[in-house]
Amino acid sequence: GNSVTQMEGPVTLSEEAFLTINCTYTATGYPSLFWYVQYPGEGLQLLLKATKADDKGSNKGFEATYRKETTSFHLEKGSVQVSDSAVYFCALTQWGKLTFGTGTQLKVEL
Amino acid sequence: GAVVSQHPSWVICKSGTSVKIECRSLDFQATTMFWYRQFPKQSLMLMATSNEGSKATYEQGVEKDKFLINHASLTLSTLTVTSAHPEDSSFYICSARPGTSGDNEQFFGPGTRLTVL
């Protein structure tokens, strides 16, 4: 079956540091890939997505590139802010169903 | 953006009782709603998919008599945990998807924390 593996957290960074959260997946065919973010006390929100190989999803300074050859979809941001503190979930979808990674908590400190 | 609410946000109940959790799409019609369960430090596990007006489709290993799902309208789905036991304690999250395409975005509720004593 499909699976998503992402790095364990928590990840603690200083403000303006560079962020990378690794995500790799296992799936048959060509799934769409997503990053969701969950702020404290809120539901998951779609952060960005990519639907085919070499696509780059981007939003709010975050980026991720669909790498079919390495089955990866790593999340990056050049300069994080305190307001980026949240839990980030990598996910894929096939046949209308989402499969999630375990989530990575990001803490950004001043 | 599209908003999905859940009620209650948290509930504590005694073992053996039943608990109902509501999921509502507030500003769109949700043809399909999903129920997930999340354990601490683990990913969201899909429990079931419900389409308005039809029976829910449960994932393998999920007891359909234990977790009753009703999707009676395009804006409301309910999950009832029957005869709850401590092992049912978890964080339950719903999502709603507008339209009929499986590629449409799912919008998530804030979750319901269930604690069974």
Side-chain angles (χ1 to χ4, degrees), chain B residues 43-105:
Chain B
S43 64
L44 282 73
M45 302 299 297
L46 179 64
M47 298 174 66
T49 302
S50 73
N51 291 295
E52 186 265 338
S54 61
K55 290 184 178 180
T57 301
Y58 290 81
E59 295 299 301
Q60 192 172 9
V62 178
E63 300 175 61
K64 59 182 178 181
D65 295 331
K66 172 79 160 168
F67 300 99
L68 300 179
I69 292 171
N70 184 280
H71 190 167
S73 78
L74 286 172
T75 59
L76 173 64
S77 176
T78 60
L79 167 68
T80 300
V81 183
T82 62
S83 187
H85 289 92
E87 58 266 28
D88 299 322
S89 299
S90 193
F91 195 56
Y92 293 89
I93 300 173
C94 75
S95 71
R97 187 176 69 200
T100 56
S101 171
D103 294 332
N104 290 347
E105 182 179 345

